[in-house]
């Protein structure tokens, strides 16, 4: 199962695939320039992303891995990217018996 959210809503450790760059709203000059910059940085549809780090104050900026490179963005910039996040299945290995934990 997967969730489709804005990259700005991601938390540390979240992984997914970019499904849309830019917004659906009316095209303004600032929005088009931001979309162009994101595309130049490698934020293209189909690119795999993983959130690596969040800033201390307001969780901003965020550092992420995009395919094989690392990039930092402000959350308001990351809001222009729509991502299909992978949901991590909980396995039995995550729940170790108390004897194994000791």
């Amino acid at each position: 199962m997967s969730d489709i959210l804005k990259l700005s809503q991601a938390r540390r450790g979240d992984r997914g695939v970019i499904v849309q760059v830019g917004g659906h709203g009316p095209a303004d000059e600032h929005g088009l320039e931001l979309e162009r910059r994101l595309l130049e940085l490698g934020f293209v549809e189909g690119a795999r992303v993983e959130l690596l780090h969040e800033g201390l104050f307001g969780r901003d900026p965020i550092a992420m891995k995009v395919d094989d490179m690392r990039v930092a963005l402000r959350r308001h910039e990351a809001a222009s990217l729509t991502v299909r996040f992978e949901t991590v299945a909980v396995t039995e290995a995550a729940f170790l018996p108390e004897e194994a934990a000791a």
Side-chain angles (χ1 to χ4, degrees), residues 26-36:
D28 63 341
E29 189 173 323
H30 175 71
L32 291 174
E33 176 66 17
L34 177 58
E35 182 178 342
R36 184 187 63 76

Side-chain angles (χ1 to χ4, degrees), residues 59-96:
R59 298 178 23 241
D60 204 24
I62 56 176
M64 66 207 72
K65 183 176 178 183
V66 182
D67 288 333
D68 291 331
M69 65 180 170
R70 283 159 177 72
V71 179
L73 292 178
R74 297 280 180 195
R75 285 205 181 260
H76 73 274
E77 296 167 333
S80 298
L81 298 162
T82 306
V83 178
R84 181 182 306 114
F85 289 102
E86 303 165 356
T87 54
V88 179
V90 178
T91 63
E92 291 179 18
F95 299 101
L96 297 175

Side-chain angles (χ1 to χ4, degrees), residues 11 13-17 48-51 83-87:
R11 296 287 186 169
D14 287 350
R15 297 177 182 186
V17 176
R48 299 193 55 75
V49 294
E50 176 184 359
L51 198 120
V83 178
R84 181 182 306 114
F85 289 102
E86 303 165 356
T87 54

